[in-house]
Amino acid sequence: MKSSNRELVDRLAAEYVLGTLRGRARRRFERWLVSPQVRGIVNDWELRLSGLEPSLQKVAPPTKVWQGIENRLDLAGSRRSTRRWLAVAASVLAVAMVGLFMLRTPPLAATARATIEADPQTIYWNVELLGDSKNPAQELTVQARSPHPLESGKAHELWILPAQGNPVSLGLLPASGRQHLVLTAAQRQALAGAKQLAVSLEPAGGSPTGLPTGPVIHVAPLTTA
Amino acid sequence: MDRNESLPPEIELAQLLQKCAARDSAAFRVLYDRTSPILFARLLRMLRRRSVAEEALQEVYVRIWERAAQYEAHRGRALAWMVTIARYCAIDLMRRERMTLVGDDALAEVADESTAEPGAFEKPNHFDDCIGQLSENTQQCLTLAFVEGRSHDEIARLTSNPLGSVKSWIRRGLISLKDCLSAERQTA
């Protein structure tokens, strides 16, 4: 590394670790972390600045946090498939994160909703699309309500039924809690003009093919908010 | 007083992380039980809102499980490694939540929070000497950034200082800190 580059990297690494390198600059710098040299410079700063670490009174988190982790990582599910699905989860997460950082400043509002239910008294999930007048489908939140029966080793996957073409996955539905997702370009496109969402029963970790492989157990209308 | 009495022993955490790397989910659960109250407190300090800190904590442990193989046991500092993941995760979430501070109340709140266990984390050698050589303003900026996760803009607003001054204090402070720590290491 040239000495001028090294100085720049050192300065950026310091502000990255301190936390003042933000937004796009932070994202760009993170891409450099694959370089062992840059990684080393960051490690040095992490060590230096660790002296600023405060000592805080511990705070026990609520138990639902662990349940969420267990669900997301499928720790209770079948071991053999765990690794494979972790890789899938990681790449889905990466896509979601990339989408996340492209967020615009004005707050988003609910633009469409779907209720996945057995009957109005038994609502399993509330799905909300968030966006603005220009891009009505930018993000998605799913709130789990009544627990949906599910045999072990299986998962519920949410799908867009587009106006034309094959279903497009919106990911796995959470067993509990709230899930928030930044939509990919493909998902946004599929949502344009879509009138329905569907839920299929898939192997833990989700459909291995990218299309529903198990039975479709719910179809819900997507209504404009 | 044993200054590490309230923290789990590093060696135990390092072993647990290695087991996590080998996909031992029982070890992961033990690791979570030992460390989540520490990381949750740290996330609350940065994110303030409980619901957001809970979401962040979940994300942090997903990252820890996924990256456990990247933890290098020979470097030690298992808890510091985990806290760093938590800090970066909080910074990412702040952007999403578009958290901004309202007025000066937040600073008052910061000042009121007492630290319960001083010195529980091991500091680099001579850290206190080196940080003590920086101006009060610089120390305050570095702390607001590192501990509270505040951006340049927020620090300028919170401390009623011009943005340019805040940026240059931070930049020069970091250089001074680095020079001082490496000089002290050589003379030690």
Side-chain angles (χ1 to χ4, degrees):
Chain A
M1 210 185 295
K2 279 195 219 156
S3 68
S4 59
N5 280 352
R6 208 188 153 81
E7 242 166 64
L8 174 69
V9 170
D10 198 56
R11 187 158 64 78
L12 292 174
E15 300 236 7
Y16 173 77
V17 175
L18 185 68
T20 44
L21 191 69
R22 295 281 172 125
R24 271 195 214 151
R26 191 171 185 85
R27 303 282 82 73
R28 269 201 302 273
F29 185 77
E30 275 171 349
R31 291 205 291 267
W32 297 358
L33 291 176
V34 290
S35 148
Q37 264 176 310
V38 176
R39 186 71 248 174
I41 293 169
V42 166
N43 285 344
D44 289 346
W45 275 110
E46 285 172 349
L47 187 63
R48 275 181 209 119
L49 294 183
S50 67
L52 291 168
E53 198 51 61
S55 304
L56 304 172
Q57 196 117 45
K58 294 179 193 174
V59 184
T63 47
K64 67 180 178 198
V65 175
W66 172 255
Q67 288 158 5
I69 295 166
E70 223 176 13
N71 286 337
R72 267 183 69 183
L73 294 175
D74 190 30
L75 295 178
S78 98
R79 289 226 158 220
R80 202 174 307 154
S81 64
T82 303
R83 262 167 214 254
R84 208 169 94 221
W85 292 117
L86 269 179
V88 174
S91 58
V92 168
L93 185 72
V95 169
M97 296 301 270
V98 167
L100 229 130
F101 299 125
M102 284 154 55
L103 274 185
R104 295 138 35 91
T105 330
L108 303 176
T111 52
R113 293 191 177 92
T115 305
I116 295 157
E117 58 186 17
D119 54 68
Q121 273 71 51
T122 319
I123 294 173
Y124 296 125
W125 292 280
N126 287 120
V127 182
E128 236 177 37
L129 273 181
L130 305 174
D132 54 29
S133 52
K134 216 164 140 201
N135 296 303
Q138 296 183 37
E139 298 178 23
L140 182 96
T141 63
V142 177
Q143 176 69 52
R145 302 277 300 273
S146 309
H148 195 299
L150 183 66
E151 56 188 290
S152 84
K154 296 281 185 190
H156 293 122
E157 188 157 355
L158 182 64
W159 303 88
I160 307 160
L161 301 180
Q164 283 181 323
N166 288 327
V168 174
S169 177
L170 283 169
L172 297 185
L173 286 162
S176 63
R178 188 165 164 274
Q179 191 165 284
H180 184 263
L181 179 79
V182 176
L183 297 168
T184 63
Q187 289 168 333
R188 290 174 193 210
Q189 204 180 347
L191 278 164
K195 297 275 189 291
Q196 290 178 318
L197 299 182
V199 178
S200 72
L201 195 61
E202 300 293 336
S207 160
T209 65
L211 289 174
T213 60
V216 170
I217 51 179
H218 296 281
V219 175
L222 189 60
T223 50
T224 311
Chain B
M1 185 184 110
D2 176 358
R3 59 198 198 126
N4 285 329
E5 66 184 346
S6 58
L7 293 178
E10 281 285 319
I11 182 90
E12 186 199 348
L13 297 184
Q15 285 166 347
L16 287 169
L17 277 173
Q18 283 176 311
K19 287 183 184 165
C20 289
R23 309 283 83 165
D24 179 343
S25 56
F28 184 50
R29 178 66 214 242
V30 176
L31 182 74
Y32 178 85
D33 288 342
R34 295 268 199 287
T35 55
S36 59
I38 301 168
L39 298 193
F40 191 47
R42 190 69 183 86
L43 289 166
L44 276 171
R45 180 73 181 239
M46 291 177 82
L47 294 166
R48 310 270 155 170
R49 298 208 324 251
R50 232 185 137 84
S51 61
V52 182
E54 286 170 11
E55 189 187 345
L57 189 66
Q58 186 172 317
E59 176 63 31
V60 166
Y61 278 91
V62 168
R63 290 189 193 182
I64 288 171
W65 173 254
E66 285 169 351
R67 296 179 193 175
Q70 292 166 31
Y71 167 71
E72 297 166 68
H74 65 271
R75 299 177 78 101
R77 303 172 39 78
L79 187 59
W81 182 80
M82 296 171 71
V83 171
T84 301
I85 290 181
R87 283 189 57 242
Y88 294 165
C89 186
I91 292 168
D92 291 346
L93 265 180
M94 277 174 184
R95 180 168 160 81
R96 196 199 77 189
E97 295 288 324
R98 295 174 206 102
M99 288 182 163
T100 44
L101 298 176
V102 205
D104 296 330
D105 298 355
L107 193 61
E109 195 186 332
V110 169
D112 285 344
E113 274 178 54
S114 59
T115 59
E117 299 146 9
F121 277 90
E122 205 178 324
K123 292 181 182 181
N125 290 336
H126 309 291
F127 185 84
D128 288 335
D129 297 338
C130 289
I131 201 90
Q133 289 174 21
L134 305 177
S135 72
E136 293 275 324
N137 279 331
T138 305
Q139 289 186 40
Q140 190 187 24
C141 291
L142 292 178
T143 304
L144 281 168
F146 188 91
V147 178
E148 317 292 338
R150 299 295 152 222
S151 66
H152 286 135
D153 289 326
E154 288 168 337
I155 295 169
R157 215 169 340 136
L158 280 169
T159 61
S160 310
N161 284 307
L163 180 62
S165 308
V166 166
K167 284 186 178 175
S168 91
W169 285 331
I170 286 178
R171 194 168 155 183
R172 289 198 310 239
L174 289 166
I175 295 171
S176 304
L177 189 64
K178 179 185 173 184
D179 289 347
C180 176
L181 287 172
S182 59
E184 291 288 353
R185 195 165 53 206
Q186 274 155 21
T187 55

